[in-house]
Amino acid sequence: DAKTTQPPSMDCAEGRAANLPCNHSTISGNEYVYWYRQIHSQGPQYIIHGLKNNETNEMASLIITEDRKSSTLILPHATLRDTAVYYCIVRVFNYGQNFVFGPGTRLSVLP
Amino acid sequence: EAQVTQNPRYLITVTGKKLTVTCSQNMNHEYMSWYRQDPGLGLRQIYYSMNVEVTDKGDVPEGYKVSRKEKRNFPLILESPSPNQTSLYFCASTPSAGANYEQYFGPGTRLTVT
């Protein structure tokens, strides 16, 4: 799997958009970009994933650059409950391949 | 409700006393795996299973065993627990090993070995 680089921490004001960046400069053509988050010590929660097109669901939007070397997770209206560690993962199809979680970005949503 | 369940959620035990942490999913997923999470080390995969009776080692398998006799269950067995296995454990499942499927995680089991 390609390695990812994320800032260790970020702050965001409640109600504002939270933009979490991720660099994955060595990503291969068949690797997907996944985002998960972990609130306290709960099980990681799936947010969104994509291959090369931008994606949007009820939780967030994923913007992937044209060269696919970086992406941004956007939480459009952050709430206090969005305070969590956010993980950016790239994953290739390969029998047995697992998700490799890095240290992630600790997002603090401030009132 | 689609979910992954783990039991127990919390366990304190002593060195050498065999224990099993159960994991069950109700989504008919083929692929299941176990992770441990330690401060500063992130989540690391212990074992995974591609399907019934098919299991393989992940990144940190030493001291653990697993079995997959039924599709829905994937227990983690610690034959002789040691203090360095004190950790937060997560079970996860996904429809298959394909890259276009998300993993669903259980709520976690916090294990303390004294």
Side-chain angles (χ1 to χ4, degrees), chain A residues 11-20 74-80 82 107-111:
Chain A
D11 291 339
C12 176
E14 187 178 19
R16 304 296 293 268
N19 296 279
L20 291 91
I74 300 173
L75 307 178
H77 306 287
T79 71
L80 299 179
D82 292 321
L107 175 69
S108 298
V109 180
L110 307 175

Side-chain angles (χ1 to χ4, degrees), chain B residues 62-79:
Chain B
E62 294 76 23
Y64 304 94
K65 287 176 58 177
V66 292
S67 69
R68 188 91 180 275
K69 292 181 169 42
E70 308 167 274
K71 201 170 189 178
R72 64 182 293 128
N73 296 324
F74 190 45
L76 179 69
I77 303 157
L78 284 73
E79 295 268 3

Side-chain angles (χ1 to χ4, degrees), chain B residues 63-104:
Chain B
Y64 304 94
K65 287 176 58 177
V66 292
S67 69
R68 188 91 180 275
K69 292 181 169 42
E70 308 167 274
K71 201 170 189 178
R72 64 182 293 128
N73 296 324
F74 190 45
L76 179 69
I77 303 157
L78 284 73
E79 295 268 3
S80 182
S82 62
N84 64 11
Q85 292 178 299
T86 292
S87 188
L88 179 59
Y89 292 86
F90 292 103
C91 180
S93 75
T94 188
S96 80
N100 197 22
Y101 296 105
E102 74 243 38
Q103 283 198 83
Y104 297 79

Side-chain angles (χ1 to χ4, degrees), chain B residues 8-13 19-21 87 109-113:
Chain B
R9 296 289 313 281
Y10 302 91
L11 179 60
I12 301 174
T13 190
L19 67 92
T20 299
V21 183
S87 188
T109 295
R110 187 169 292 281
L111 172 65
T112 302
V113 183

Side-chain angles (χ1 to χ4, degrees), chain A residues 32 34 36 38 41-44 46 49 87 91-99 101, chain B residues 31 35 37 43 45 48 50 59 88 90 97-103 105-107 110:
Chain A
Y32 285 79
Y34 278 79
Y36 277 76
Q38 188 175 24
S41 295
Q42 298 177 18
Y46 166 80
H49 76 284
Y87 299 98
R91 185 168 182 238
V92 65
F93 175 79
N94 183 12
Y95 278 111
Q97 188 68 58
N98 65 88
F99 285 140
F101 285 79
Chain B
Y31 186 98
Y35 294 85
Q37 185 173 29
L43 280 91
Q45 193 181 52
Y48 63 90
M50 304 290 294
D59 298 322
L88 179 59
F90 292 103
N100 197 22
Y101 296 105
E102 74 243 38
Q103 283 198 83
F105 284 82
R110 187 169 292 281

